[in-house]
């Protein structure tokens, strides 16, 4: 067993990953450490890519970096790993400074594991050799490789070449390779985006269980809101190189800080009103407003905050059926289209005449025309 305690020798809760029954671990040397980014700024060729980004990831927490393409997610992740050199700010792991005005710890000395979008395995090396690649102590190589492969449920594939594995298996090997050196933080860059939908869901579920079981501090990049909400204990939303909001999925969904965020995380109907008092009159009837505004405003109304029934005031444009529920798009007489989530068994069809009313917990309002509302 490795002198660092090994990945599997201190049993906690048994978990099942793939078809292999394995045990989760919490050896002392793998005790989760918090990762903190403080006031980080990165430029490329004089162009600002990250501006004064601060983010704290608690020990054992899983944090998603979510944002549209080009907002700087990968640059932030690579800065944490030491693959980019920010010109300003600090990065600390536990009480150890990794990056600061006078400090730069090389990537291989950070004890941070990284998994990339494509598994980036060496095609000419076996699975076992790939996992062992970053291990330097001869006497530990074999045990740690065996343990890491067991963690991802691939012990029996150690002698295979990557090209003979499915995309999901390759990604699990990449995770095993990142875990083998016993990192204190795991960083994943769009780890599921190269997999097709069905495989993505099953691999995501397996990796999620593994991360929770190991209790390892994890930061992962995604541009998929659903994925961020499913995996992230908290989600940091980046927009144009800045942190727009950090919070639990529920906080982001129910208390977005601006209009852009409200529409970026989940679907939102934006209802225009001349003013937004507590008890606001709208084209779908009265709506309780949690953040009243005296002047013109837009109310954020989620599709599940609306209900429809046979009546007047709207015409069903079309229905999207999802099995667990359905989304009905309704054209109101005002000309506004709203999206309403209904139970799957409620049957509406195109051209049905319906009444739409509000049934949500209270809506957030954003003033119209403020410069900072959209960023
Ligand atoms: P995506 O979701 O599309 O991967 P992202 O949010 O991860 O995007 P980054 O990859 O961090 O965004 O890139 C942010 C910006 O920085 C982009 O405009 C990108 O072109 C630019 N950029 C990234 N790396 C470099 C580099 N090494 N040199 C110059 N520009 C770069």
């Amino acid at each position: 067993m490795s002198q660092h305690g090994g990945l599997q020798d201190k049993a906690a809760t048994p978990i099942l990953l793939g078809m292999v029954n394995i045990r989760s671990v919490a050896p002392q040397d793998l005790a989760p450490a918090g990762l903190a980014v403080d006031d980080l700024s990165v430029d490329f060729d004089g162009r600002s890519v990250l501006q004064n980004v601060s983010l704290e990831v608690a020990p054992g927490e899983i944090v998603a970096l979510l944002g549209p393409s080009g907002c700087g997610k990968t640059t932030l992740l690579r800065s944490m790993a030491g693959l980019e050199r920010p010109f300003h700010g600090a990065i600390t792991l536990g009480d150890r400074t990794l990056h600061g005005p006078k400090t730069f710890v090389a990537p291989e000395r950070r004890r941070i594991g990284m998994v990339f979008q494509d598994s980036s395995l060496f095609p000419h090396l076996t699975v076992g050799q790939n996992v062992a690649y970053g291990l330097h102590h001869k006497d530990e190589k074999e045990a740690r490789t065996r343990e890491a492969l067991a963690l991802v449920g691939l012990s029996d594939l150690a002698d295979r070449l990557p090209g003979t594995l499915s995309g999901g298996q390759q990604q699990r090997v990449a995770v095993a390779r990142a875990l083998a050196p016993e990192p204190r933080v795991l960083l994943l860059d769009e780890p599921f985006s190269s997999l097709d939908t069905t495989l993505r869901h099953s691999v995501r579920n397996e990796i999620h269980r593994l991360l929770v079981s190991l209790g390892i501090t994890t930061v992962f990049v995604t541009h998929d809101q659903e994925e961020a909400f499913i995996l992230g204990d908290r989600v940091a939303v980046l927009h144009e190189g800045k942190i727009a909001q950090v919070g639990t999925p529920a906080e982001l969904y129910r208390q977005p800080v601006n209009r852009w965020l409200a529409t970026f995380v989940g679907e939102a109907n934006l209802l225009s009103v001349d003013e937004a008092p507590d008890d606001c009159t709208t084209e779908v009837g009265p709506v309780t407003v949690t953040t009243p505004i005296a002047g013109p405003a837009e109310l954020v109304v989620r599709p599940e905050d609306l209900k429809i029934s046979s009546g007047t005031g709207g015409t069903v444009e079309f229905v999207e059926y999802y099995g667990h529920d359905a989304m009905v798009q309704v054209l109101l007489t005002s000309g506004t289209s709203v999206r309403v989530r209904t139970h799957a068994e409620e049957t509406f069809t195109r051209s049905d005449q319906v009444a739409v009313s509000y049934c949500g917990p209270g809506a957030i309002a954003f003033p119209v025309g403020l410069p900072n509302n959209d960023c």
Side-chain angles (χ1 to χ4, degrees), residues 11-86:
T13 322
I15 64 165
L16 195 69
L17 187 74
M19 299 303 289
V20 182
N21 197 6
I22 63 171
R23 295 177 306 160
S24 67
V25 289
Q28 247 181 5
D29 202 38
L30 282 183
L35 183 70
V37 169
D38 184 30
D39 207 19
L40 210 70
S41 297
V42 176
D43 278 10
F44 287 126
D45 307 324
R47 192 169 67 85
S48 173
V49 171
L50 289 179
Q51 295 147 53
N52 311 105
V53 169
S54 295
L55 176 67
E56 286 195 18
V57 184
E61 190 179 29
I62 303 174
V63 168
L65 299 180
L66 174 69
S69 182
C71 69
K73 305 180 292 291
T74 296
T75 302
L76 178 55
L77 202 76
R78 288 172 58 84
S79 300
M80 292 170 175
L83 300 172
E84 304 292 352
R85 283 187 182 234

Side-chain angles (χ1 to χ4, degrees), residues 90-105 110:
I91 301 172
T92 50
L93 175 63
D95 52 11
R96 182 177 174 225
T97 301
L98 300 179
H99 181 92
K102 293 181 183 159
T103 313
F104 180 79
V105 176
R110 293 194 174 201

Side-chain angles (χ1 to χ4, degrees), residues 309 311-317 330-333 336 351-356:
S309 52
T312 56
T315 307
V316 173
E317 291 184 283
V330 179
L331 180 63
L332 302 174
T333 40
T336 307
S351 305
D352 278 355
Q353 295 302 300
V354 293
V356 181

Side-chain angles (χ1 to χ4, degrees), residues 130-204:
N130 265 285
V131 173
Y133 190 78
L135 302 174
H136 302 298
H137 299 289
K138 249 185 175 175
D139 49 339
E140 292 177 2
K141 268 193 177 188
E142 201 182 315
R144 287 219 202 148
T145 300
R146 198 174 49 241
E147 291 161 1
L149 281 174
L151 280 175
V152 298
L154 294 179
S155 298
D156 49 343
L157 300 185
D159 297 326
R160 294 260 293 268
L161 287 172
T164 68
L165 305 183
S166 70
Q169 287 170 331
Q170 289 183 24
Q171 234 8 12
R172 282 154 66 184
V173 175
V175 171
R177 183 175 59 181
L179 289 174
E182 300 182 338
R184 303 194 76 196
V185 171
L186 192 60
L187 305 178
L188 304 108
D189 190 358
E190 304 250 13
F192 314 112
S193 60
S194 61
L195 308 176
D196 67 46
T197 311
T198 315
L199 196 56
R200 187 158 66 229
H201 291 174
S202 64
V203 175
R204 184 172 74 193

